[in-house]
Amino acid sequence: MAKRKSARSQGGLHRSCGTMAAHMMLLERFPAFRARQMRLEGATERRRATGEDLKKARVVTIKTVVNVVYNTAEQNISAAQINSQISAMNKDFRATNPDKTKTPAAWKGLVTDSRVRFELVRVTRTKTSKASFSHDDGVKKAATGGIAPFQPGSHLNLWVCNLGGGLLGYAQFPGGPASTDGVVITYKGFGTTGTAQAPFNKGRTATHEVGHYLNLRHIWGDTPDCSGSDMVADTPNAAGPNYGKPVFPHVTCNNGPNGDMFVNYMDYTDDAAMFMFTTQQVLRMRTALETVRSGLI
């Protein structure tokens, strides 16, 4: 989660991701998770050294489950809204999103198709007495008002619920406990219709969080200075998250002339301002998919 304060956007929402807070909690509770993450980094580094042509990677389909956990009728989102989210993710992960043309010229050559698609295979609906949830995984357990994931070893589970504190979503990195594996998104930032509120109504919160689920970090490395790293060579180092719709270039950390890659899905900009994954980000995701998360494919 970002350490510097963000400005509120219209609709009362601002880009706020709870992934790193949840991640640190799990690392403390499950030592095996830390070991699996380290092995995955090693596998990623070895694959990077091969110079593989990612354009030749096979297209894989991830079976996806959407778990709607609602306290009010409004939160019980429609099938159309769910389908709009799957459609948005498919465009973003295959780099067929029309707005990728807005990518600054300096980075157009880095826009990369992950060759990953998502197929909705199951929707669950759970009425809860809880008014809201946080990043503590309560929505993933019946005992705390939610529902357990459906076959998380072979399915991507997305939970849609009311997240408190302005939180848009959070995800679990590869290698964590199966009982909490998946992605959680607020019902106000899920899909492109229905309850989805601008400026987070293009489905990019799920794209961002599924990026984490497939082992991507925030592009500024989750430090409030220039010392962090997302462990990706083709995303410029950045001082912190970007919000809203920045104007190119936004230079920090001596990363001129092009500055921060704020159009990347792993920044904190508005949905309408993020358009791309890079080649090295795709390599990280493909490595996770073909090792720790191989059950998905």
Side-chain angles (χ1 to χ4, degrees):
M1 186 181 294
K3 293 183 180 179
R4 73 183 191 188
K5 188 177 180 181
S6 68
R8 292 275 174 175
S9 297
Q10 59 178 308
L13 293 176
H14 63 291
R15 178 75 67 192
S16 180
C17 165
T19 293
M20 293 310 295
H23 182 57
M24 295 305 175
M25 180 177 66
L26 287 176
L27 287 176
E28 292 301 318
R29 292 171 53 200
F30 298 98
F33 182 26
R34 189 183 298 271
R36 292 186 199 112
Q37 280 270 296
M38 291 178 65
R39 287 195 296 271
L40 179 54
E41 285 305 319
T44 303
E45 183 58 37
R46 289 190 295 274
R47 186 165 185 177
R48 186 180 297 118
T50 67
E52 176 185 351
D53 184 359
L54 293 168
K55 294 185 179 69
K56 296 180 180 178
R58 68 187 177 104
V59 177
V60 298
T61 299
I62 297 178
K63 291 179 288 188
T64 303
V65 177
V66 174
N67 303 301
V68 181
V69 180
Y70 65 98
N71 176 257
T72 67
E74 179 189 42
Q75 296 165 14
N76 189 16
I77 63 171
S78 69
Q81 186 168 346
I82 292 170
N83 289 331
S84 76
Q85 179 61 77
I86 302 300
S87 176
M89 288 183 353
N90 278 328
K91 290 175 184 176
D92 291 349
F93 277 83
R94 292 303 314 273
T96 59
N97 52 303
D99 56 2
K100 72 179 181 183
T101 59
K102 299 177 183 178
T103 304
W107 299 317
K108 284 185 185 294
L110 293 175
V111 177
T112 303
D113 174 6
S114 72
R115 302 180 71 77
V116 174
R117 65 178 300 275
F118 304 88
E119 180 185 2
L120 180 67
V121 298
R122 182 183 178 96
V123 176
T124 71
R125 296 182 183 275
T126 302
K127 183 77 164 66
T128 184
S129 59
K130 288 205 65 172
S132 66
F133 294 90
S134 73
H135 66 263
D136 65 0
D137 289 333
V139 74
K140 303 174 183 177
K141 303 169 188 173
T144 48
I147 184 174
F150 175 80
Q151 299 180 3
S154 56
H155 293 71
L156 162 62
N157 277 256
L158 303 176
W159 285 265
V160 186
C161 64
N162 184 32
L163 285 171
L167 193 63
L168 284 184
Y170 71 98
Q172 183 168 297
F173 284 106
S179 62
T180 54
D181 202 12
V183 169
V184 183
I185 308 290
T186 181
Y187 77 103
K188 295 178 181 178
F190 191 84
T192 63
T193 186
T195 60
Q197 295 181 9
F200 305 115
N201 58 347
K202 291 184 176 293
R204 265 64 192 264
T205 297
T207 298
H208 176 106
E209 299 302 345
V210 173
H212 285 314
Y213 173 84
L214 295 176
N215 207 36
L216 295 186
R217 303 298 180 104
H218 293 133
I219 62 164
W220 67 94
D222 291 283
T223 63
D225 50 36
C226 298
S227 65
S229 172
D230 63 353
M231 296 175 279
V232 173
D234 57 7
T235 58
N237 193 24
N242 291 281
Y243 298 95
K245 296 180 181 179
V247 176
F248 177 84
H250 179 234
V251 176
T252 68
C253 297
N254 298 312
N255 61 12
N258 300 321
D260 296 357
M261 190 182 280
F262 55 78
V263 294
N264 195 284
Y265 293 128
M266 302 314 294
D267 205 341
Y268 268 11
T269 47
D270 291 351
D271 279 18
M274 49 173 61
F275 320 119
M276 64 176 290
F277 290 122
T278 68
T279 304
Q280 291 299 313
Q281 284 179 317
V282 168
L283 183 141
R284 280 185 71 83
M285 291 192 286
R286 295 292 306 203
T287 304
L289 263 176
E290 293 163 24
T291 55
V292 180
R293 293 208 180 280
S294 60
L296 294 172
I297 57 174

